[in-house]
Amino acid sequence: MDSIDAAELALSLPEVDPDRPSPARIYDFWLGGSQNFEADREAGRRAAEAMPALPASAQANRLFLRHLVENLVAERGITQFLDLGSGVPTVGNVHEVAQAADPDATVVYIDLDPVAIAHARTLLADNATAHAALADLREPEAVLEHPLVRDTIDWSKPVAVLLFSVLHFIPDSDRPGDIIRAFLRPCVPGSYLALSHGAPDDDAPEAQKAAVREYASRTGVPVTPRTAEQITPWLTGLEIQPPGVEDIRLWLPSLAESHQTIAPFIGALARKRA
């Protein structure tokens, strides 16, 4: 057994159950991907029946991810990415965007879904500087000690830690702020945290509650929409970049100009101080 197998065996994950929907594969379905099962598609359809803006919201969130990754490489010189809760690989992955701007950019994808990681490894088979590791972001020490993270990330240089569309699956009891701080601890000054997070929908609160209930009942994963005021304390001690902890439509005016209805998502980019 090699070191990667040993690190991942410690998770003691059950066998993949195609009848049990997965957040990563539901997200892939909403993005128009093909790496999902019928149970994922049914769960995605049912949640979208309750809240029709969800698929468009997933696509808008992916545009926001691409926007920040492009900015981090081209404008801020970041060439190392740790993508936590990365999900199933689909068009516009972090490594595709980053390596288009800098072919030497390195990426490590982290996800708890074995299907997502299996597909990612197939996709990355010929890519020497992008890797996928099966790990639980709720256990930062185990992630940071994973051989693929240790061997890929050079912690003496700035790193971008990405947490897109995943923290709303982490309940308050799991202390998401502490998780963020644990991942930023080994990062040198000049590193960045980039995140997006589902927010309360004041225009359709009942529809959002119904969608959250439907989603949780099928996946077993709770969803906790949070406001900018709830998210901002997680960034204490970091330099929050403009326009701040705000709706992603303020970050990407093209989303607002499209007049497409999307569920609220909060976006943020923050820099570790020198």
Side-chain angles (χ1 to χ4, degrees):
M1 182 182 298
D2 66 19
S3 59
I4 295 173
D5 288 335
E8 296 178 356
L9 184 63
L11 286 172
S12 299
L13 292 171
E15 293 295 319
V16 173
D17 180 359
D19 295 324
R20 180 72 166 180
S22 152
R25 299 193 301 270
I26 293 171
Y27 193 68
D28 177 66
F29 169 64
W30 285 338
L31 289 174
S34 60
Q35 311 303 334
N36 48 74
F37 301 128
E38 177 54 34
D40 305 307
R41 296 188 285 273
E42 178 63 14
R45 285 191 290 263
R46 291 292 294 272
E49 285 174 5
M51 194 174 185
L54 284 174
S57 304
Q59 294 157 20
N61 188 70
R62 178 53 58 122
L63 288 175
F64 178 57
L65 178 150
R66 295 188 64 174
H67 169 73
L68 282 194
V69 172
E70 288 172 351
N71 178 271
L72 284 163
V73 179
E75 303 296 330
R76 303 170 191 265
I78 301 298
T79 59
Q80 299 190 103
F81 294 85
L82 182 61
D83 187 359
L84 301 167
S86 56
V88 177
T90 189
V91 176
N93 284 324
V94 171
H95 76 278
E96 293 175 334
V97 177
Q99 292 176 354
D102 185 333
D104 295 325
T106 59
V107 179
V108 181
Y109 296 106
I110 302 293
D111 205 277
L112 190 57
D113 187 321
V115 173
I117 295 304
H119 285 295
R121 286 178 173 164
T122 298
L123 178 72
L124 300 171
D126 297 323
N127 193 316
T129 56
H131 305 282
L134 185 66
D136 188 342
L137 70 85
R138 293 169 298 180
E139 300 177 4
E141 290 185 9
V143 173
L144 294 171
E145 287 300 315
H146 193 289
L148 287 174
V149 176
R150 288 202 320 262
D151 296 344
T152 304
I153 301 295
D154 181 351
W155 296 104
S156 70
K157 299 178 181 178
V159 178
V161 176
L162 310 181
L163 284 154
F164 281 86
S165 195
V166 67
L167 288 170
H168 46 247
F169 298 125
I170 307 296
D172 292 339
S173 58
D174 283 340
R175 305 179 67 86
D178 289 350
I179 291 172
I180 287 174
R181 285 184 280 276
F183 280 111
L184 288 177
R185 199 167 293 124
C187 296
V188 298
S191 296
Y192 285 86
L193 168 73
L195 65 82
S196 68
H197 193 298
D201 192 337
D202 294 333
D203 293 329
E206 295 308 314
Q208 185 178 53
K209 289 177 184 176
V212 165
R213 285 194 301 269
E214 176 67 30
Y215 194 96
S217 70
R218 288 179 175 270
T219 64
V221 178
V223 181
T224 306
R226 294 183 176 96
T227 64
E229 290 72 23
Q230 290 173 298
I231 294 168
T232 299
W234 300 344
L235 312 181
T236 299
L238 304 176
E239 297 174 349
I240 298 174
Q241 306 298 294
V245 186
E246 295 284 358
D247 191 298
I248 62 172
R249 285 168 289 196
L250 287 179
W251 282 88
L252 277 178
S254 61
L255 293 176
E257 293 165 3
S258 72
H259 302 296
Q260 187 174 38
T261 300
I262 64 171
F265 259 85
I266 299 296
L269 178 66
R271 184 176 185 272
K272 187 169 183 178
R273 290 192 175 103

